[in-house]
Amino acid sequence: MAIDQLISHEEVLAKDLRDPEFRAEWERTALARWLAVEVAHYRAENELSQRQLAEILGVHQSDVARMESGEHVPSLERLVRVAQGLDIELMIDIRPQKREARLPKKRALEGESFTLGGCEVVLATA
């Protein structure tokens, strides 16, 4: 088969997303896939093995492998550990799908906050 006859991954995904079960799983694991890309990208940029990154994060090498698989939805504690270990800021905006965001960053920072794993976690609602 010629390369110009191959189907793109976008076309395959679009077809698969028509299946309600596949779509539900795809949506359920969106955060896991995002974390997988971020962790793998950080490792590649810093030329780290999974074991080396595990030491930085204070987890087992198998935990890094699990994160990079993109199949396991991370807990808030896991996200905090990654943010602290990689020295990155994470923001998660959770709202009804068709609702416009009402929480600009300044207002969110005035919300309730607490410390978790050496990170400040801010909670706000609108």
Side-chain angles (χ1 to χ4, degrees):
M1 177 180 281
I3 197 159
D4 62 341
Q5 295 178 328
L6 295 175
I7 300 171
S8 72
H9 73 279
E10 289 93 354
E11 291 173 299
V12 172
L13 180 59
K15 180 180 178 243
D16 289 343
L17 286 173
R18 287 186 229 133
D19 173 13
E21 283 185 42
F22 180 87
R23 177 177 284 280
E25 182 65 8
W26 182 257
E27 290 172 356
R28 185 188 73 76
T29 58
L31 182 58
R33 288 190 316 279
W34 171 83
L35 182 62
V37 169
E38 290 300 314
V39 169
H41 180 75
Y42 182 89
R43 259 195 342 105
E45 272 193 342
N46 293 280
E47 299 179 355
L48 298 171
S49 68
Q50 285 184 345
R51 186 169 309 285
Q52 290 169 317
L53 182 58
E55 289 175 18
I56 291 169
L57 297 177
V59 299
H60 296 284
Q61 177 273 326
S62 61
D63 292 323
V64 173
R66 194 172 298 111
M67 281 187 270
E68 289 186 352
S69 77
E71 296 175 4
H72 304 276
V73 179
S75 65
L76 178 58
E77 291 82 8
R78 173 69 62 195
L79 293 173
V80 166
R81 188 175 290 245
V82 169
Q84 179 69 17
L86 305 186
D87 192 30
I88 60 174
E89 182 178 343
L90 301 177
M91 186 177 98
I92 301 174
D93 175 15
I94 301 173
R95 59 188 151 79
Q97 189 173 16
K98 295 181 181 178
R99 184 167 171 252
E100 186 101 8
R102 295 183 193 165
L103 288 172
K105 187 172 185 176
K106 183 177 180 185
R107 180 164 173 219
L109 290 175
E110 294 169 357
E112 182 180 336
S113 68
F114 60 94
T115 302
L116 180 63
C119 290
E120 181 183 17
V121 177
V122 178
L123 302 174
T125 60

